[in-house]
Amino acid sequence: MGTTDTRGPTPGRSAVVLALRRYGRELLRLRLLALPALLLPAVGNIGIRYIAPLLIAKLAGQAADDGGLTLASALPYVLGFGAVLLLAEAVWRIGQHCLNRVDALGMEHLYVSGMDELLAQDAAFFHDNFAGSLTKRVLSFGKRFEDFVDTVTYRIVGSLVPLVFGAVVLWSYEPMLVAGLLVMIALTVVVATPLIRRRQRLVNDREAAIARVSGHVADSLMNMETIRAFAAERREAQEHRSRVADSRRLTLKSWDYGNLRVDVLVAPMSVLTNVLGLLVAVAFGGPGQGVEEIVVAFTYYSNATQIMFEFNQIYRRLESSMTEAAQFTELLLDPPTVLDPAEPEPLAPRDTGVRFEAVTFAHAGAKPIFRGLDLDVPAGTRIGLVGRSGGGKTTLTRLLLRMSDIDGGRVLIGGQDISRLRQADLRSLIAYVPQEPAMFHRSLRDNIAFARPGATDEEIHAAAAAAHVTEFADQLPDGFATLVGERGVKLSGGQRQRVALARAVLRDAPILLLDEATSALDSESELLVQDALWRLMDGRTALVVAHRLSTVAGMDRLVVLDRGSVVEQGTHEELLATNGAYAKLWRHQSGGFLGESTESTESTESTESTESAKSAESAESAPGHPVLDGTTGRRRTFVRAPGPRDE
């Protein structure tokens, strides 16, 4: 089976530190709420765990000294005990109220900022990471803030601040009680720390296994049709079972290590600490306060050793939340390379001409695609980019969109270097139709309006009509309100391409990039869409990538790319006349043989190309539209003969 692992599944120390910084920054931003949220529960714990037991200890001491208690002598302690508990509960509720808002506001901000970080990444980033894994990571980054803050509030601050108060009280009774407690706590920390570090590695492995499960589930769900087409349900289910079993094994390994190694060490230490406290209280207890001191020492030491015993649990909660948060911040350790300039130029191109000057580019770790590429596209010119697969045609359009930055040279629009513009300003000039149009799991209307969210319904329907979307939209259950499904699965490939073309029409940008924009269309649909494309390209600068040469043969100029270099340029007729690379491609696609006489070629029906047949069929569909004879390569204009209605 293939792998759906993402890069770097186990976060390093730097990623954890970055996650801590991000969470700390949230607490600082919300400090007016965070301060009472962190401290008030600790104050409530002081009342419940230390002041209330202290009153009971004093009551017991008085009973021992006086040989008994009366209601009158006990009433102040009882009332004080109740008042302390009520006040502690009130303080707790206020602290909880603030903490709820810190959690909610912090998670909201982290959800938003996490998505902003993803949207700022390069296109290559999303090629290296699976959508399912990224979804889990960015949502966990926000969600784990709640676990982090709650653990810090209830388990750390809520225990350490009362412990300090308890140490002060114990010191007033007997300094040796404090010394013994601190020694035992320090000894426990020293002995347990190496074990906890070892367990951290196990937790990292566990979280990485969970991420692999998530990535595989998302990958399978997104490719469910392929799985069914190849009857691979059992294989995928087995792969899922294998990954889940691996996750279970690593999870139990980390849990067992905490239970059988860390807790087995901490539990005896907590018992020894309690025994030591009791011995110190008995040995050093002064006259007249033996009972009171023993009760205080026993209660305070029990509270302190509870912290020791929960030390592993506290660390476990923290490491789990921080490890999962760090799986997202790890993605941020490599900042995006495509960035807006610090001082961007205002968008003011003199025209819509496009120029590539000595452009050099290579994907990371790969050989260069372009070495000193030069290409000039004057404003309003329609250029067809053709050539063998892998020649760099699609890469050229992506560089113009600045999906990646070039390694050398310049890319200019209207004389402006696109690297000096804001990315949003640059892309506002361009309407792009990719070979595989992306569809959102939204309505058909929303998918078209994505190009210009503020467009009116009339403008959206006009764009849809121009791209021949209305012809199938009216047949959908809810028309333009129909949800198209994830990645547009409810639409055919040709329908998705028509929607993408409608976006381009609605975008109404001066530069048009088409990458195999009609590759998924049937013959009839292609004739309709080709007509729409010619109207769309009118007056615009257009770069059109095509493998099917007949779709671009009528362009103002054809550019033949091979291995990242421009090997030929010219019109269709000029390139056929040179009998070079383009002519060779044309012969392969048309089935004709250059150099033969027109009569000989026309008399051989078996050599007529499919493109020629389509061009002939389009005569009535697109009167006046320039098409090519697939056998001769001559440009012709078909004009519909007058019919009865024209007479």
Side-chain angles (χ1 to χ4, degrees):
M1 291 297 296
T3 179
T4 54
D5 300 346
T6 56
R7 61 182 179 133
T10 303
R13 180 180 178 83
S14 55
V16 175
V17 171
L18 180 57
L20 281 171
R21 287 178 181 172
R22 291 294 184 95
Y23 283 0
R25 200 177 302 162
E26 283 304 305
L27 291 176
L28 186 62
R29 186 179 68 88
L30 301 169
R31 55 187 174 275
L32 295 180
L33 286 170
L35 190 61
L38 291 172
L39 293 179
L40 291 183
V43 173
N45 285 343
I46 290 174
I48 296 171
R49 296 181 183 178
Y50 292 92
I51 297 179
L54 182 61
L55 292 174
I56 298 299
K58 289 187 176 296
L59 184 62
Q62 183 174 338
D65 293 341
D66 298 341
L69 287 175
T70 64
L71 182 59
S73 61
L75 188 59
Y77 294 101
V78 174
L79 293 178
F81 178 78
V84 167
L85 292 181
L86 285 175
L87 183 60
E89 286 294 333
V91 171
W92 248 93
R93 298 283 72 78
I94 297 173
Q96 182 68 54
H97 180 81
C98 295
L99 182 63
N100 289 342
R101 277 141 188 81
V102 171
D103 287 345
L105 293 172
M107 286 191 296
E108 177 188 24
H109 187 257
L110 289 169
Y111 282 142
V112 173
S113 63
M115 189 63 180
D116 289 342
E117 295 279 5
L118 290 183
L119 291 173
Q121 293 294 327
D122 302 336
F125 171 87
F126 297 97
H127 299 162
D128 297 333
N129 293 278
F130 287 94
S133 180
L134 290 177
T135 300
K136 177 182 179 296
R137 291 186 185 198
V138 70
L139 295 180
S140 295
F141 177 59
K143 177 61 179 175
R144 285 298 192 171
F145 178 73
E146 177 188 7
D147 297 337
F148 170 78
V149 175
D150 288 357
T151 301
V152 170
T153 300
Y154 297 136
R155 300 295 186 93
I156 299 178
V157 178
S159 297
L160 292 181
V161 172
L163 182 61
V164 172
F165 177 85
V168 172
V169 174
L170 288 175
W171 186 275
S172 67
Y173 282 98
E174 174 53 56
M176 287 299 296
L177 289 171
V178 179
L181 180 61
L182 294 180
V183 167
M184 294 303 296
I185 291 177
L187 183 60
T188 302
V189 171
V190 170
V191 175
T193 297
L195 298 178
I196 291 174
R197 287 178 177 172
R198 163 63 180 161
R199 187 172 180 276
Q200 176 64 52
R201 293 193 291 270
L202 298 178
V203 171
N204 290 343
D205 293 341
R206 180 192 73 197
E207 295 297 327
I210 294 173
R212 288 193 291 270
V213 171
S214 175
H216 178 260
V217 169
D219 195 40
S220 297
L221 294 179
M222 292 178 66
N223 294 281
M224 187 55 67
E225 289 191 7
T226 303
I227 291 173
R228 295 193 185 284
F230 286 89
E233 292 91 342
R234 290 188 178 181
R235 292 205 312 270
E236 290 299 308
Q238 179 58 40
E239 178 71 10
H240 179 65
R241 281 193 294 270
S242 174
R243 289 172 183 257
V244 170
D246 186 51
S247 174
R248 180 259 305 156
R249 179 181 60 82
L250 293 173
T251 298
L252 283 177
K253 190 175 181 179
S254 67
W255 287 353
D256 288 344
Y257 192 89
N259 179 46
L260 302 177
R261 297 292 298 276
V262 181
D263 287 349
V264 164
L265 173 67
V266 173
M269 296 297 291
S270 65
V271 172
L272 288 175
T273 303
N274 277 311
V275 172
L276 178 63
L278 196 56
L279 287 174
V280 171
V282 172
F284 293 93
Q289 62 176 16
V291 174
E292 180 179 333
E293 184 170 318
I294 289 173
V295 172
V296 170
F298 173 76
T299 304
Y300 284 21
Y301 263 66
S302 295
N303 289 334
T305 54
Q306 183 180 358
I307 298 172
M308 293 170 56
F309 192 77
E310 290 180 351
F311 179 67
N312 179 47
Q313 301 298 324
I314 294 172
Y315 193 87
R316 179 173 167 176
R317 288 174 62 92
L318 277 179
E319 70 182 355
S320 179
S321 59
M322 295 314 304
T323 299
E324 197 161 349
Q327 288 191 338
F328 175 75
T329 55
E330 182 191 29
L331 301 173
L332 309 181
L333 295 178
D334 296 326
T337 57
V338 180
L339 300 170
D340 287 338
E343 297 181 0
E345 294 179 0
L347 183 63
R350 61 172 180 264
D351 54 37
T352 58
V354 175
R355 181 170 180 79
F356 295 83
E357 292 184 350
V359 169
T360 300
F361 174 75
H363 293 294
K367 295 181 179 180
I369 297 177
F370 299 121
R371 295 184 179 90
L373 175 74
D374 288 304
L375 179 63
D376 186 29
V377 183
T381 304
R382 298 169 297 188
I383 297 294
L385 299 175
V386 300
R388 295 186 300 179
S389 296
K393 303 182 294 297
T394 296
T395 301
L396 204 64
T397 64
R398 294 178 64 81
L399 292 180
L400 184 56
L401 283 164
R402 206 177 166 220
M403 296 296 187
S404 301
D405 272 336
I406 58 177
D407 300 321
R410 295 193 304 169
V411 180
L412 308 174
I413 292 181
Q416 285 191 287
D417 189 335
I418 65 172
S419 66
R420 302 299 306 159
L421 301 174
R422 281 190 295 267
Q423 296 175 68
D425 289 343
L426 163 67
R427 292 162 189 161
S428 70
L429 298 172
I430 301 171
Y432 177 53
V433 181
Q435 183 174 358
E436 297 181 2
M439 296 289 118
F440 297 93
H441 185 30
R442 304 170 190 174
S443 69
L444 181 61
R445 180 196 183 282
D446 290 340
N447 271 280
I448 297 174
F450 191 80
R452 187 152 56 90
T456 64
D457 286 340
E458 290 76 13
E459 291 171 327
I460 293 171
H461 281 76
H468 300 278
V469 172
T470 51
E471 296 172 8
F472 69 83
D474 294 338
Q475 302 173 6
L476 296 176
D478 298 313
F480 279 85
T482 302
L483 295 177
V484 301
E486 187 175 12
R487 295 178 293 115
V489 295
K490 295 182 180 180
L491 303 179
S492 68
Q495 290 171 339
R496 288 195 294 270
Q497 281 196 324
R498 293 197 206 183
V499 173
L501 290 172
R503 283 181 189 162
V505 173
L506 186 64
R507 182 74 164 174
D508 195 25
I511 299 175
L512 187 63
L513 298 183
L514 304 176
D515 188 357
E516 291 287 345
T518 61
S519 61
L521 298 176
D522 57 76
S523 299
E524 182 179 357
S525 298
E526 184 181 19
L527 294 174
L528 296 173
V529 172
Q530 282 280 14
D531 181 56
L533 285 177
W534 280 99
R535 293 192 179 99
L536 179 60
M537 287 187 288
D538 187 33
R540 290 180 169 85
T541 303
L543 281 78
V544 182
V545 176
H547 287 98
R548 191 157 45 191
L549 301 182
S550 62
T551 61
V552 293
M555 295 290 175
D556 299 327
R557 179 157 52 103
L558 301 178
V559 176
V560 184
L561 289 172
D562 187 36
R563 298 180 182 178
S565 299
V566 176
V567 295
E568 288 182 332
Q569 294 189 64
T571 64
H572 173 77
E573 293 87 349
E574 291 170 349
L575 293 179
L576 286 180
T578 60
N579 199 24
Y582 178 81
K584 183 178 180 181
L585 291 173
W586 180 264
R587 286 198 303 269
H588 287 165
Q589 290 193 16
S590 68
F593 296 92
L594 295 179
E596 292 182 338
S597 65
T598 303
E599 293 79 12
S600 174
T601 305
E602 290 178 349
S603 65
T604 309
E605 294 182 358
S606 62
T607 63
E608 290 183 356
S609 67
T610 304
E611 285 78 5
S612 175
K614 290 181 183 177
S615 299
E617 291 171 3
S618 65
E620 293 185 1
S621 299
H625 175 71
V627 295
L628 294 170
D629 187 314
T631 56
T632 66
R634 295 192 179 95
R635 194 189 307 257
R636 299 184 296 173
T637 300
F638 288 92
V639 180
R640 181 172 60 85
R645 294 182 181 178
D646 299 319
E647 295 177 353

